[in-house]
Every structure is written in C-alpha cells, then in structure tokens.
Amino acid sequence: MSCNWRGQCYNFSMYKKILAAVNEFTNSELAAHYAITLSQSCRAKLFLVFIAQEGINKNAFKQAESALERLFVEADGRGTEVESITEKGEPLQKIHSMVKSDHIDIVFTSTRREDVTKRFFVKTLAREFMLKLPCSVAMVRVVRMGKMHPKDILVPLRGEMTHLEERACFVAKLAQGFGSSVTLFHSARPITSFFHGEVHLKPSLRERHIPKDVELFTECLDRYTITHEKRIEYGGISRAITIEAAYRRNDLIIMGASERSLLRSIIRGNPVEEVLRETPCDLIILRPRHEHQ
Amino acid sequence: MKIHNISRGEVFQNLITSEKGLSEEDAARRLREYGLNEIKEVRKKPLSLRFLSQFTHFLAVLLWIASAMSFLSEYLHPGGGMLTLGIAIVAVIFVNAVFTFIQEYRAEKALEALKKLLPFYVKVLRDGTEKEIQAIGVVPGDIIILSEGDKVPADARLIETNELKVNNAPLTGESEPQLRSHNSFDGDIIESPNIVFAGTTVLSGSGRAVAFATAMSTQIGRIAQLTSAVETGLSPLQKEIVRATRIVATIAAAVGIFFFSLGFLIGRSFWENFIFAIGITVALIPEGMLPTMTLSLAMGSQRMAKRKALIKTLTSVETLGAVTVICTDKTGTLTQNKMAVRRLWFDDRIFEVKDLTGDNVVELLRIAYLCNNARFLDGRYKGDPTEVGLFKVARETLGELKAERIREIPFDAERKRMTTLNAVEGKIIALSKGAAEGLLPLCDYLLINGEKVPMDETLRRKTIAVCHSLMDMGLRVLSFAYKEIERSAVAVTSSEEIEKSMILAGLIGLEDPPRPEVAEAIMKCNRAGIKIIMITGDGSRTAVAIAREIGLIKGNPVVIEGREFNQMRDRELRENLLGKEVIFARMTPKNKLRVVSILKEEGEIVAVTGDGVNDAPALKKADIGLAMGISGTDVAKEASDMILLDDNFATIVNAVEEGRTVYENIKKFVTYIFASNIPEAVPYLAYILFRIPLPLTVIQILAVDLGTDMLPALALGAEGPTPGVMKQPPRRLKERLLDLPLIVRSYLFLGPIEAFACMFGFFWVLYNGGWTLGTMLAPTDMLYLQATTACLTAIIIAQIGNVFACRSSKESIFSIGFFSNRLIFGGILLEIALQLFIVYHPFANRIFGTALLPLSVWLILIPFGVVLFLAEELRKFYVRTYRHASS
C-alpha cells in the first residue's frame, strides 16, 4: 500500500498471488509468459497449474508437463517465487478450490482459435473461468508466436468503467514488466445531426469529448509513471480497435471483459467477442474483481 | 527481445520446436490453435443487408408510408386509381435504392489479389522428414525448406541460408534481390535480413526458416486486415445526398402534415386531404435526382477514362473535385523513372557526360559497367533503371567490355552497396558501387589522375561535400570503388574483407528527369488551391532539388525523413503537416497510411498514389486512392478508387478538373430538377385551398420527375468545364450541394414562373371549355383531362427554357455558347417526343390520365419557356453587374 502527497492510498501491488493455467497447447504456455512477467513486476508468487482432465492422452500430458517445466525454469530464472502443480480432475473445479484456498488474486487462462469461433464463447473453459472464478481473470488470446516483448500496448477504454484501480494496476505492471509504452484508446460514437450527418471533429476538439472515466483511468495510470499516449477515434468499437492495433503495429491489446448481457449482445453485437475474433496481435481480456482500496 | 534478434537456439526455444521440425501431432494441435494459414476477409455487413438498408432510410420510410396509405385507400375505395399510385411509389423506392446502391457498391477484390501471393504447396520438415504439404497447413513452429522459385508461405525466421536471395518487392517495393542471412539482427523486423515474409519469392539459393506467424498474423495478413477493414466513410457527395434528401423529405412531410391539418380545419373530407398529402409529398420529392446523379457520374467516369483515369467507384468522380491534398510518389509519377547519368566526379573535378573522352574515366566507368546487372539485349537496355543509366553511359563511352564475373555480393538495404569480383586482364578486381554513406567509410584511398592518394579526413570531408553538392542538383549520387585481390585469396576471403580498404574511383550523379507535363500540372494545382505532398524513398536533398525543379516548392519546405517520421508523435507530425510545403524523404510505403490518416483527421480530402502491396491500406483509407496502371501491383489496383493508366501526375490534375466540373454540373441539374417541384406542388395547394379540380395528378408528376426531366438533366451533367474551374480553391466542406442560393433560385425564382405557366395552362383550357369557378369535374371528364394535360405540358415547356437557364449560374448562355452542348438539344428533342407520346397516344392517355391537346394550347404555352429563359438572363445580368460593382 502506498500513499500519495494528498494522503490518498492506493494498493500498488494488488496482485500477491497469480495463477497461470497451463495445458498441452502452446498458447497456454505463451499466455503463462504474461503471467510470469506480471508476477515478476508485482513480486507476486506464481502458481503454474496443469489440471489433467480424465482421458487425456499420453502425448498431450507429456506436452503439458514439458510446458510446465519450461515455464517453471523461466519464472525461477527471473527471480519469481514459483510453484508448479499438476493434478487430475475437472480444471474449473480444481482451480476454483485453489483460488479459494490459496487466496489467488488473478488467474491467467488462454483461449484457443476454436473457442472464439463459438458465439459468446458458450461452453468454453475460458468463459467458465471468467464467469465462475472468485478472483480476477485474465483471458489471453495468443495469435502470434515469436513476439515475447510487446513494445506498445493498446488499451481500449469504455466511457464507463468499474475497477479503475485494478485495471490501471494490471496495465501498468505488465507495461513495466515488458518496458512497453501504452496507448489509451477510446472509440466513441460519432457525433451526428439529422441534417448534417456525421460531424467531423479535429483531434484537438475530440479531446474535449474524452469521457470522465477515461480521465480517471489516466490519473490512476499516471501513478505508475508509465509512458502513455491518448487517442480517440469514432466509429464501430471493435473495428476501430482492430484497425488501430494493426495500423499502429501494437503487440498486445488489453481490454476489459464484456459487460453486455447475452440478449444485448445478440441484439447489438459484442465488441469484445468481435475483437477476440479479429485481433491482429495478442489480446488479454481482463475481468477485474478487486475493489478500489 | 524479438524473433529477429535472438540466436538460433533461442528461436527453437521460443517457438517450441526443434531442428527436426514439429511432429505431425504437434502440427495438428497447432493448426487447431492458430487456424489455417490463409488470408481471410474481416467480417463485414453482408451485401444483401447493405442493399436492404437502402429501403430503410428516412426518405424511403416516408415513401413506404405513402405507398401503404395508397394501398389502404385502394382497399377502402376500390377503383380510385390509388393502386397505380401505390405501385408507382414502390417503384420509386426501388429505383432510388438501386441507384444509391450502384453508387456505393464496390467489388472488394484486393484480398483476392493478396491471396494469390501465397503458394499452394510448400516443403516443410516434420518429424525430421522433408514433406510437401499444402501451404494452408503451415503452422507456427514449422521448419520451412526454401529453394529457388519457391513462394514463402508464412513469416519465418531463417536458421540456415545458402546464398539465399529473395524478392521482397510484393511487400516492400524494393525491386533489387535481397540477400538473406541467418544471423541475428538488431533493428526493425521489416529490414531484418534473417526474416522471410509470406508472399515473397526465393530468387536464388536455399535456406531453412522457422515459421513464427501464419495467416492474418503475417505482415501480408496485416495488410489484408487493414485493407479490408479500413473504411473510408461516405464520400463528400454521398454526405450531401443524405443531407439533401433529409431536407427535402422533412420539407415534404412538414408541408404535407400542415396542409392535411389545414384541410381538416376548413372542412375538407379525409379523402380529399389524403390525396393532397400524398400528392404534395410526391411533388416535393425529386424522384429523378438520384438516377440522374448516378448516370451523370457514370458519364463523368467515361470522360475521365478518355483522359487516362480509370474510375472504379462512381462517387469518386466527384470526390476528386473536392480533393484538397494530393500525396504523391516521386519516381515514375512526377518523374519518368528513366535514370540518366548527368554528372561525374573524378580526378577532383566535376564532369558532364559530353566531356567524357574514354581515357580520362576508365576506372570509374569500368566499375559502372562491370559491377552492374543491366544488359543490352536485342538493341535495348534491360534492368533496373539506375543500373541501366550507368551501364548505358559506360558502354557508350568505353565500348563492350569482357570480364568474367567470379562472385557477387548483392546489394541490400542495410549495406547500401553491391560488390562483384571480376577477372580483368588476368587480375582479380573487386568492384563496388553504392550509396556514399555505405561505401565511403570502406575507402582508404582516392584515385586522382591515376594515383592512389590516401584518404585523410580533409579529403573525406571534401568528397562528402561534392556528394552533397551533386545531390543538391537533384541527382541520385552513387560512389564507385575498387581493389585488387590475390587470386589465391578469392575463395577464402570473406565479404567483409573484400570490401575493406578500397580505392574510391569517383562519384556519379544520375537524374530521373521530371515528366515534361508535370510542371504545368503543379501550377494548375497551385492555382486550384490543392496542396501537394511528395512522399519518396529518395534522400531529402535529391527530393528537395527535384521538387524545386518542377515548381513543387518555392520557399523552405518542411522536410521529414523516414527515421525522424517514425519517432514523431502524432501531434508533432500534425503540426508539420500544416506547413505550406511538405516533403517526406526516405519513406517506406507503410508510412503513407499514417500521413493519410492524420490529414483526414484534420478534415482534408486526401488523394494518395501507390503501386505496391504495402500501399493498399493507404489507398483504401484515402478519400481517393490512385493506383499506377503501368507499374502498380494488382493488389494496389484493386484497393484503389482510380487507376492512372499512364502513371502520370498530370492525369491526376486532369481528373480533378473533371471532378470539379462534375460537381458544378450536379448543381446545375439539381437546380433544374428542384425548379420543377414548385409547379408540381402549387396545383395541390390550389386544389386544397380554392376548391378547384386537381390540376396535376401524382402520376403526371412522376412522368415529369422520372421521365421528361431525366434526359435534359443528364445533358446538363455533360456540360464542359468552365474556364475558371481550376482557378478557385477546393470547395469547403461546409459548402452544401443544396445551399441557400440554389434553393432560392429554384424554389423562389424559376419555380414560381413555371407554376404560373402550369396554372395558366390549366385554367386557360378550363375557361375556354366553359368551366366556372366552384364547379367540380369528374376525373374522366374530357375537359378536366385536357386541362391537366395542359398543366403538364406547360411544365414541360417551361422546363425547356429552364434547361438553357441552368447551364450556368451567372454567365450568359450566349457567352458560354448557345450550341456548345449539343446533348441539350438531343435531350430536349426526346423530352418533346415523350410529351407528344403522353398527350397523343391512347395507351399513354390511359396511364397518365391525359387527353389530346389542340395546337393552339401549345402555342399559348410556348412563350412561357421563352419568358423563363429571358428572366434568367436578366437575373444573371443583374448578378454579374452587381458582383462586378461590389468587387
């Protein structure tokens, strides 16, 4: 806990215990790299966990074990307190009980390409984790191997957000860990009038329309002395985010989990789901659970 | 730490693979994780939904309501003729929807062209065995085996190379073969020699590489994503159409509701009020505007094609006229892309080509001849334009030279030089040519009058100063060096050793001459208030010199080089772009998208030229993407809005002139069409207010809007450019198609004259037929039918006068040439023919509710056309005089 000159105190090391769920797929291993960096940056204890489901084949088991071993060596080499756990059973149940018993702050899980082809991720383990684990969850979609150190992280922000402190902490700690710069991005609905259609605003005027929560988030981020730039664009949210990431050659996108209900998602679409499908770089969807302290 | 700056072992570790490649099981698992290695289009609104949306906008909804009410009234009062009206309104909705869709539709084929860059089959190492698999099956971690002629299927890090050269032109535009190596590299991944990119081709040699990005994660996938996802938004004309239709629809709805309510208050029946409401709505909506606009744009695109500008999207025709900034390449567009040697520096003097004797320049030109891949075949020089320029001057000065080439260290962007080992007169000579910054540091001597002089600091500085002075003349400067090598050492000497301690023979400055017509085109742009930004891969000195030569810059321009550009934040770049004269030097195509985006954010209407695959996103993002017809790739052509068939900058300026003319012409025919709305609406107001028979039926209104008006309006769309069209600044974004002067002219000046004519015709026939005020006539009464026919005919005659009036807004028709647009006369003839058909053919009489008119009625009505024309001439005279006096 740190306090600023105004006497306001913030929990700068929100994450004390981090769990990364690993399996036989490479993207879970790559996702766990983000967990290692966050653990190192937060000086948190890292739990590398492989839950072998019933009927898993021998090769897959071996793959997962090797991944666990490689990750352990890497985390240990980076001076992180790390524990490697292999158990048999249902991943959700097992990890749920670990989160409870070990007071895990955040779980890293990965999602595969075939998960994102399912509408609203129904019946995917990643979605179950997001909805049912009693801690923060970072769902990682790895689209590209080989880029281990994001140079610039794109952080799309909604106009209204909760858990600003935790979001800022997560972004800042990862950025610190990778030595990355951060681009805060807000995609707003275009300003329109009935007769004039879409009103074009120059960037200098756009800044006046930045929502309050984005400003608050920036304030939170400023406490971590992270280099950041702010951009505001108009248009469809998901399309604006993916274009921005492709155009700016961002290496990682960190965005909040969808708060839209299933019905609203069916009617109005779900930007998070759309970004997951079309992201040009790795993507972390964060569902924060830590309240502001 | 990135994939290109780690060691071979770390590559395997990071990509979780090994020298034996992946196992089949691993590969299958990764295929599930990362998907097929293919270029996919991002999800978009389906074409069917885009078409359906043409039926749901404000105007369409209004018309749907009108047609539904017509069908309802036909159901409640069968035989009242409302069924025909309902069908006619639905037809109007469809006509407008189809024509709007035609304007907006654009076939997305850029991705198809990108897909063709990827191979079908590829050799990979799986379980330690070489296998040929489908390229879509390549996954991250696969070891790809590359040999001559192969297309690269994925972005991959090289782990083994054997004189591997690739052609990166599809991706970077660099036409020279790029030598690849497997050593780690610090720098940008795009420039990294240890990376091969999907879509590029192996020219020679062989190698092995580990795939680290497949499908849409590759560089080419990123281009595909940007190309298919970037949305230009509505064109200026489309925005104006939306605005105009909303204004008109609102006026129509407001007038309809007001008089409908008024009718109730003054005791009119629901039925009468209803007919009125429908009639006034149909009268005030210019049903023919969209079809006429589409056809006019199509005609504009035909005219542009004749001027070597091939238009792909119709609305682009007009957008060109609104362009405020043109971002243009230099080589091939402003210049001829024919490099010719202009100056040579050797023996401490600068020579012109004509001063060369052959004796004084042997060493320098020998290097230019032998360290060169251009050839003279079948009476023509073939090869890279720079090499051809050098080879030509060397061959023409020294004659044919024979020397066996033993080895070549090819040119690459990092080394910025090329070296060959040649056997010359029994000796082995290393010959190098390259950019001064790449070659000068390797030279320890300078050749002056056949003597090797040690290159001290003073001499080095002097050489650099000469190099800069040549660049300031707009020349591309290359330096040339040589050294003798022991025959026995050839096989064992490394490339680095060969290029050490060389003797500088001199410098050669080449010029890519500007296209002759470019200076005039740039002057036109300056007069037309269009800013031109040059984006070139050349150095800043050369770029500035050329820009000055062609008149692109006059003062001190803002010059931004690629490296500086990459470090600039948007705010800084934005401030620089506000400069009056801006040049971007040493830029790569990927930088263009950023320039275009920032200019667009600043509210500019941007045209950008491009030819490479990497240009595609910028071409798509710009308001007008201009692809090169000769040198352009298929991807660039597909992503563009217009193709320059001759790659010439002057063609862009011609197209802008045509675009501006099209916009002026659209205003002309919009005035023409809107003027006829008043004589269509006034009969309904008279009908509801004065209890007279309805002077004009809805079907007759549609006959004017979608029939007789169309061809003269189209002829107005074919008017030639006015002399001042390229002497005025681009129209401001706030300038409206439907502005106040246009509305006043058509609704309050031309319209009322026409309304008077039509009402005069209607009452003339009625009174002469014995009708008295207050008498209502049956819809089938012959007198009534003749009266409405006279009303309709009066509108047609007045519109003939109007079409001449609308040919200009201020100038007298006699000053622009009464017969200068022959199509007007054709349009009028067809208009008259159609009206004769409506009046005199029994079938048309049934459809339009018309009857035969005696000649006397025509003769009574003709003067109205003349009066309207003369009234407009008077108005124009007053405007010219008033404007002249006030100025």
Side-chain angles (χ1 to χ4, degrees):
Chain A
M1 181 93 67
S2 309
C3 299
N4 67 11
W5 60 273
R6 287 178 186 152
Q8 292 168 318
C9 297
Y10 301 94
N11 194 348
F12 278 93
S13 48
M14 203 167 268
Y15 304 120
K16 304 282 185 203
K17 289 179 178 176
I18 296 171
L19 186 150
V22 181
N23 57 29
E24 68 273 28
F25 291 101
T26 55
N27 50 25
S28 73
E29 185 174 347
L30 295 166
H33 279 107
Y34 289 108
I36 293 174
T37 302
L38 188 67
S39 305
Q40 189 188 17
S41 190
C42 295
R43 291 181 195 151
K45 183 177 177 183
L46 177 67
F47 295 82
L48 297 167
V49 178
F50 166 46
I51 308 294
Q53 286 174 289
E54 285 299 320
I56 187 171
N57 76 40
K58 212 172 167 185
N59 270 344
F61 189 88
K62 213 173 128 191
Q63 288 279 347
E65 284 277 84
S66 311
L68 218 51
E69 200 179 312
R70 285 191 292 268
L71 288 166
F72 186 91
V73 170
E74 190 193 331
D76 192 46
R78 287 164 71 171
T80 303
E81 190 186 348
V82 57
E83 191 177 328
S84 175
I85 302 163
T86 303
E87 284 192 20
K88 275 197 170 180
E90 273 307 305
L92 179 63
Q93 269 179 9
K94 288 278 178 188
I95 289 178
H96 192 280
S97 60
M98 277 181 203
V99 167
K100 279 196 153 178
S101 60
D102 290 319
H103 305 289
I104 301 290
D105 295 305
I106 184 166
V107 168
F108 274 75
T109 177
S110 64
T111 181
R112 280 169 295 155
R113 200 188 150 278
E114 60 183 28
D115 290 346
V116 300
T117 56
K118 291 179 183 168
R119 198 77 212 269
F120 311 119
F121 306 96
V122 282
K123 292 181 184 169
T124 65
L125 195 56
R127 183 180 160 86
E128 297 289 293
F129 276 18
M130 291 282 258
L131 293 177
K132 294 181 180 166
L133 290 181
C135 65
S136 300
V137 177
M139 182 169 81
V140 186
R141 167 135 161 75
V142 177
V143 295
R144 184 170 181 156
M145 294 181 86
K147 278 201 172 182
M148 289 73 65
H149 289 264
K151 198 172 73 181
D152 191 20
I153 302 173
L154 183 72
V155 183
L157 299 170
R158 274 195 294 264
E160 289 172 7
M161 289 179 285
T162 57
H163 303 88
L164 290 175
E165 281 297 337
E166 185 183 351
R167 287 174 201 270
C169 171
F170 184 84
V171 170
K173 288 292 171 187
L174 264 185
Q176 280 173 351
F178 287 121
S180 327
S181 59
V182 169
T183 304
L184 304 179
F185 181 75
H186 177 64
S187 171
R189 282 185 181 284
I191 297 167
T192 54
S193 79
F194 182 74
F195 289 120
H196 292 91
E198 202 171 303
V199 179
H200 179 86
L201 287 182
K202 289 189 177 181
S204 51
L205 291 172
R206 289 180 188 184
E207 281 172 16
R208 292 184 200 164
H209 295 265
I210 290 178
K212 199 180 157 202
D213 275 1
V214 175
E215 293 292 2
L216 288 173
F217 180 87
T218 314
E219 273 179 32
C220 296
L221 202 62
D222 283 340
R223 292 185 205 115
Y224 296 91
T225 59
I226 295 294
T227 317
H228 61 80
E229 193 182 2
K230 214 179 289 173
R231 283 187 43 80
I232 181 162
E233 274 291 337
Y234 292 102
I237 299 168
S238 58
R239 186 55 50 85
I241 293 168
T242 50
I243 289 177
E244 180 75 9
Y247 158 51
R248 302 262 162 188
R249 293 171 179 266
N250 292 111
D251 308 309
L252 174 67
I253 303 174
I254 300 175
M255 65 190 293
S258 175
E259 285 170 12
R260 290 192 180 182
S261 65
L262 194 65
L263 185 66
R264 209 169 145 223
S265 296
I266 291 167
I267 296 167
R268 297 193 55 197
N270 188 318
V272 175
E273 188 196 5
E274 285 158 17
V275 175
L276 261 161
R277 237 184 241 131
E278 289 179 0
T279 178
C281 59
D282 288 0
L283 168 70
I284 300 180
I285 306 286
L286 176 70
R287 177 174 286 281
R289 286 277 155 83
H290 287 259
E291 291 305 328
H292 175 77
Q293 290 179 45
Chain B
M1 189 170 57
K2 297 216 165 173
I3 195 70
H4 60 289
N5 51 29
I6 55 179
S7 67
R8 178 191 162 97
E10 286 168 318
V11 171
F12 291 130
Q13 197 183 337
N14 277 294
L15 298 172
I16 317 167
T17 185
S18 70
E19 295 200 30
K20 288 181 179 176
L22 297 172
S23 66
E24 283 294 346
E25 193 186 336
D26 272 346
R29 195 181 293 119
R30 288 189 190 195
L31 200 61
R32 282 169 64 198
E33 288 181 67
Y34 299 98
L36 292 173
N37 177 33
E38 59 187 357
I39 301 293
K40 277 185 180 168
E41 192 171 353
V42 295
R43 284 189 186 202
K44 277 189 174 171
K45 204 172 173 184
L47 209 61
S48 52
L49 281 183
R50 272 155 65 192
F51 182 63
L52 281 179
S53 68
Q54 306 298 340
F55 296 90
T56 53
H57 58 77
F58 183 63
L59 180 64
V61 168
L62 210 69
L63 289 171
W64 279 122
I65 294 169
S67 70
M69 285 166 76
S70 303
F71 290 128
L72 180 70
S73 59
E74 176 68 24
Y75 177 71
L76 296 173
H77 299 270
M82 297 308 276
L83 180 66
T84 320
L85 177 61
I87 293 168
I89 295 174
V90 171
V92 168
I93 299 170
F94 269 88
V95 167
N96 278 331
V98 167
F99 278 93
T100 314
F101 185 70
I102 289 170
Q103 280 185 28
E104 287 178 12
Y105 175 74
R106 178 172 159 177
E108 299 286 355
K109 289 181 183 163
L111 253 57
E112 294 302 318
L114 272 169
K115 281 178 191 171
K116 285 181 192 157
L117 294 175
L118 294 182
F120 288 108
Y121 291 95
V122 60
K123 284 191 257 340
V124 293
L125 208 59
R126 294 239 174 115
D127 292 314
T129 316
E130 194 178 310
K131 288 178 180 172
E132 189 168 66
I133 62 164
Q134 280 192 309
I136 53 168
V138 172
V139 293
D142 257 331
I143 294 181
I144 304 162
I145 298 161
L146 298 167
S147 52
E148 193 174 318
D150 286 347
K151 278 184 177 178
V152 181
D155 287 1
R157 163 69 201 267
L158 287 159
I159 48 166
E160 270 177 44
T161 51
N162 178 23
E163 294 292 320
L164 181 74
K165 279 192 218 168
V166 292
N167 175 14
N168 275 353
L171 205 63
T172 62
E174 293 165 319
S175 54
E176 299 92 356
Q178 304 291 308
L179 182 70
R180 303 285 91 177
S181 97
H182 53 267
N183 300 323
S184 60
F185 173 81
D186 289 320
D188 194 86
I189 193 164
I190 293 284
E191 288 164 12
S192 177
N194 61 27
I195 301 290
V196 282
F197 295 103
T200 58
T201 315
V202 176
L203 293 176
S204 61
S206 59
R208 288 184 178 202
V210 188
F212 61 86
T214 56
M216 297 300 277
S217 300
T218 58
Q219 291 295 325
I220 209 164
R222 204 183 61 83
I223 292 171
Q225 183 163 35
L226 278 172
T227 308
S228 61
V230 160
E231 282 162 1
T232 319
L234 294 180
S235 74
L237 182 65
Q238 284 168 326
K239 284 180 192 164
E240 283 306 302
I241 293 170
V242 169
R243 185 178 175 274
T245 48
R246 284 185 179 180
I247 289 174
V248 169
T250 306
I251 292 172
V255 172
I257 291 167
F258 176 75
F259 283 98
F260 188 83
S261 313
L262 189 71
F264 259 122
L265 290 176
I266 60 175
R268 286 270 186 178
S269 70
F270 173 83
W271 181 245
E272 286 169 321
N273 280 329
F274 178 70
I275 289 177
F276 166 75
I278 301 273
I280 202 82
T281 308
V282 175
L284 287 176
I285 290 170
E287 289 87 2
M289 189 176 82
L290 279 177
T292 314
M293 206 171 274
T294 309
L295 293 171
S296 161
L297 291 172
M299 283 159 57
S301 72
Q302 292 288 317
R303 289 196 298 274
M304 284 185 177
K306 284 182 190 157
R307 298 176 85 170
K308 299 196 171 169
L310 197 67
I311 286 286
K312 290 177 61 201
T313 33
L314 275 186
T315 48
S316 306
V317 174
E318 188 279 329
T319 310
L320 268 164
V323 159
T324 56
V325 181
I326 301 173
C327 298
T328 175
D329 294 315
K330 181 185 81 65
T331 308
T333 312
L334 294 171
T335 63
Q336 299 177 25
N337 197 19
K338 289 177 187 164
M339 298 298 276
V341 173
R342 290 281 177 261
R343 297 278 194 282
L344 301 94
W345 178 76
F346 58 91
D347 293 345
D348 206 14
R349 276 178 59 198
I350 293 177
F351 293 83
E352 286 189 33
V353 177
K354 63 180 168 55
D355 300 329
L356 301 179
T357 60
D359 300 331
N360 57 357
V361 68
V362 174
E363 276 312 327
L364 180 58
L365 289 188
R366 188 169 67 173
I367 306 169
Y369 189 108
L370 296 175
C371 182
N372 196 320
N373 288 325
R375 290 287 169 267
F376 185 72
L377 295 168
D378 307 325
R380 287 178 63 196
Y381 290 96
K382 290 180 180 171
D384 171 76
T386 304
E387 294 215 310
V388 164
L390 293 168
F391 188 68
K392 190 171 176 233
V393 79
R395 184 176 168 275
E396 286 171 3
T397 311
L398 303 178
E400 296 285 350
L401 296 181
K402 295 273 180 236
E404 186 197 350
R405 185 181 288 186
I406 297 164
R407 189 170 154 190
E408 179 186 333
I409 308 166
F411 175 87
D412 73 60
E414 192 201 352
R415 293 164 60 249
K416 291 189 171 70
R417 61 180 179 272
M418 152 185 190
T419 299
T420 58
L421 289 189
N422 293 69
V424 184
E425 295 160 2
K427 295 176 191 166
I428 305 296
I429 316 270
L431 307 164
S432 292
K433 75 164 190 282
E437 64 264 36
L439 193 55
L440 272 186
L442 307 174
C443 296
D444 289 349
Y445 305 95
L446 174 66
L447 190 72
I448 301 177
N449 299 321
E451 298 272 322
K452 261 172 64 178
V453 179
M455 181 88 92
D456 58 13
E457 256 327 288
T458 319
L459 213 47
R460 196 176 295 278
R461 270 203 296 273
K462 188 179 174 187
T463 310
I464 291 168
V466 172
C467 182
H468 284 171
S469 71
L470 290 174
M471 282 177 173
D472 289 340
M473 293 177 198
L475 305 179
R476 184 173 178 195
V477 183
L478 291 177
S479 45
F480 295 80
Y482 71 101
K483 87 170 186 191
E484 198 177 321
I485 292 188
E486 288 295 322
R487 188 173 281 275
S488 56
V490 170
V492 291
T493 312
S494 66
S495 303
E496 288 76 20
E497 278 301 315
I498 290 171
E499 292 175 336
K500 254 187 195 168
S501 192
M502 300 193 89
I503 306 157
L504 183 73
L507 306 172
I508 294 181
L510 299 101
E511 187 193 25
D512 180 10
R515 286 176 179 269
E517 57 279 59
V518 157
E520 168 65 22
I522 287 172
M523 214 144 65
K524 262 189 178 177
C525 282
N526 289 338
R527 282 200 296 262
I530 299 167
K531 183 170 167 177
I532 303 166
I533 295 176
M534 185 202 272
I535 302 178
T536 175
D538 282 352
S540 53
R541 282 172 180 272
T542 312
V544 168
I546 285 282
R548 217 174 276 289
E549 189 182 338
I550 57 176
L552 190 64
I553 55 168
K554 290 184 177 75
N556 286 325
V558 175
V559 183
I560 301 166
E561 287 219 351
R563 192 164 296 192
E564 194 188 343
F565 175 89
N566 289 331
Q567 285 161 358
M568 267 184 192
R569 295 186 88 86
D570 279 1
R571 192 183 293 269
E572 203 182 340
L573 185 58
R574 188 167 281 123
E575 282 162 13
N576 279 301
L577 277 169
L578 292 177
K580 199 178 160 203
E581 294 170 340
V582 185
I583 289 177
F584 289 98
R586 294 219 185 279
M587 293 278 275
T588 54
K590 69 175 183 183
N591 301 137
K592 274 188 194 167
L593 180 61
R594 193 171 165 214
V595 175
V596 171
S597 300
I598 289 178
L599 286 168
K600 282 194 76 176
E601 281 174 5
E602 285 299 312
E604 304 284 359
I605 307 290
V606 187
V608 68
T609 63
D611 50 12
V613 172
N614 231 358
D615 285 324
L619 289 170
K620 196 78 189 297
K621 175 83 183 175
D623 294 287
I624 290 282
L626 309 163
M628 298 298 149
I630 300 169
S631 60
T633 56
D634 285 349
V635 178
K637 286 177 192 169
E638 294 298 349
S640 67
D641 303 287
M642 189 177 105
I643 299 170
L644 299 175
L645 296 175
D646 57 357
D647 291 11
N648 193 339
F649 181 80
T651 304
I652 305 173
V653 183
N654 292 339
V656 169
E657 186 175 3
E658 199 64 60
R660 286 188 176 193
T661 307
V662 164
Y663 185 74
E664 279 194 346
N665 291 347
I666 288 173
K667 283 198 103 162
K668 286 173 192 169
F669 68 68
V670 166
T671 311
Y672 171 77
I673 289 169
F674 273 60
S676 68
N677 285 355
I678 298 300
E680 289 165 359
V682 165
Y684 281 86
L685 295 177
Y687 162 74
I688 198 84
L689 294 174
F690 305 120
R691 286 189 177 275
I692 57 166
L694 182 62
L696 194 71
T697 66
V698 176
I699 294 294
Q700 287 166 352
I701 291 174
L702 292 176
V704 175
D705 287 358
L706 291 171
T708 57
D709 264 4
M710 291 271 282
L711 288 164
L714 270 178
L716 281 174
E719 284 284 334
T722 52
V725 75
M726 287 300 275
K727 288 179 184 159
Q728 59 203 26
R731 67 185 171 84
R732 289 172 297 122
L733 273 180
K734 285 183 181 170
E735 193 182 315
R736 300 289 169 225
L737 176 68
L738 214 60
D739 57 4
L740 193 64
L742 188 148
I743 291 175
V744 168
R745 186 179 169 204
S746 41
Y747 276 6
L748 300 181
F749 186 74
L750 297 167
I753 297 174
E754 292 196 20
F756 181 77
C758 76
M759 294 308 288
F760 179 86
F762 180 69
F763 285 116
W764 172 268
V765 172
L766 280 185
Y767 278 116
N768 281 301
W771 177 80
T772 52
L773 194 65
T775 313
M776 293 307 284
L777 299 170
T780 51
D781 189 306
M782 183 50 76
L783 181 63
Y784 172 72
L785 292 176
Q786 280 192 325
T788 56
T789 309
C791 182
L792 174 67
T793 307
I795 296 175
I796 307 300
I797 289 171
Q799 280 290 79
I800 292 174
N802 191 19
V803 75
F804 286 108
C806 290
R807 287 188 61 198
S808 70
S809 61
K810 292 181 187 87
E811 294 81 18
S812 165
I813 182 113
F814 300 106
S815 70
I816 61 170
F818 193 81
F819 297 102
S820 58
N821 184 357
R822 299 275 165 92
L823 284 175
I824 292 279
F825 295 94
I828 290 170
L829 279 178
L830 285 167
E831 183 181 19
I832 292 169
L834 192 57
Q835 181 60 10
L836 290 174
F837 171 73
I838 290 171
V839 177
Y840 296 107
H841 198 285
F843 173 72
N845 290 163
R846 275 203 306 278
I847 298 288
F848 294 103
T850 50
L852 306 182
L853 273 190
L855 182 65
S856 60
V857 178
W858 284 86
L859 293 175
I860 288 289
L861 297 175
I862 285 170
F864 283 102
V866 180
V867 166
L868 186 140
F869 172 71
L870 292 177
E872 254 293 285
E873 282 294 310
L874 270 175
R875 185 195 66 81
K876 287 172 188 172
F877 176 73
Y878 173 75
V879 170
R880 286 196 305 274
T881 316
Y882 174 74
R883 194 176 58 173
H884 182 69
S886 61
S887 64

